[in-house]
Amino acid sequence: MSQGIGLVGLYVRDQDEALAFYVDKLGFRVHTDARNGDYRWLTVQHPDQPSFQLGLFKPQAPVLDESTAQTVREVVAKGAMPPLVLNVDDCRATYERMRANGVEFTQPPEERYGNVDANFRDPSGNGWKMIESRR
């Protein structure tokens, strides 16, 4: 029997915009894109992690009522959600490649705590910390 976390979801303001960002700018690939009425189950994967999915979900019914969905949209847009971490082999080179692809960084690569890291946000406001992994 195998156990573990297979998917983590993010709330995004627009799923098509998020899909373009994660696929075209970050290099993820689509895993699942299924619709059930107004609800869309959209997940992407990092090419080096085929067993893990990142869900790009719109805050909406049937999961949330409209008032809660609006609050969630506002919190995400402010960048108030906990950041996600993207491990990379070379933070500076990945920073340059991602910037060339149009990713806007909130912090360029910096050395601290024995690592090199940089910060960016997706179009919905979700924060990311990109850290050079020490393998």
Side-chain angles (χ1 to χ4, degrees):
M1 182 171 172
S2 178
Q3 296 182 21
I5 298 170
L7 184 142
V8 169
L10 288 179
Y11 281 125
V12 298
R13 71 174 169 221
D14 179 289
Q15 288 177 300
D16 290 324
E17 175 186 53
L19 182 61
F21 177 82
Y22 284 95
V23 171
D24 299 338
K25 295 187 179 189
L26 299 189
F28 286 51
R29 59 182 165 227
V30 176
H31 180 275
T32 304
D33 190 352
R35 295 175 191 262
N36 184 9
D38 290 338
Y39 188 79
R40 183 179 184 188
W41 182 267
L42 176 62
T43 67
V44 295
Q45 292 176 307
H46 188 278
D48 294 336
Q49 287 184 291
S51 65
F52 183 79
Q53 297 174 55
L54 182 64
L56 306 175
F57 303 125
K58 192 174 174 184
Q60 68 183 58
V63 178
L64 303 172
D65 62 73
E66 184 50 40
S67 176
T68 303
Q70 181 59 35
T71 300
V72 169
R73 286 190 288 271
E74 291 169 5
V75 169
V76 171
K78 290 179 181 180
M81 302 301 287
L84 292 109
V85 175
L86 179 64
N87 290 320
V88 297
D89 291 328
D90 184 330
C91 188
R92 288 180 179 87
T94 304
Y95 168 82
E96 292 301 334
R97 179 182 53 76
M98 288 171 62
R99 275 190 55 210
N101 282 342
V103 176
E104 294 181 27
F105 281 80
T106 56
Q107 176 216 306
E110 286 186 18
E111 290 187 40
R112 62 174 148 205
Y113 310 117
N115 281 319
V116 178
D117 67 67
N119 296 331
F120 64 93
R121 290 174 63 182
D122 74 9
S124 297
N126 292 296
W128 281 86
K129 181 166 279 297
M130 182 171 66
I131 299 176
E132 187 171 310
S133 60
R134 304 278 186 213
R135 294 183 193 178

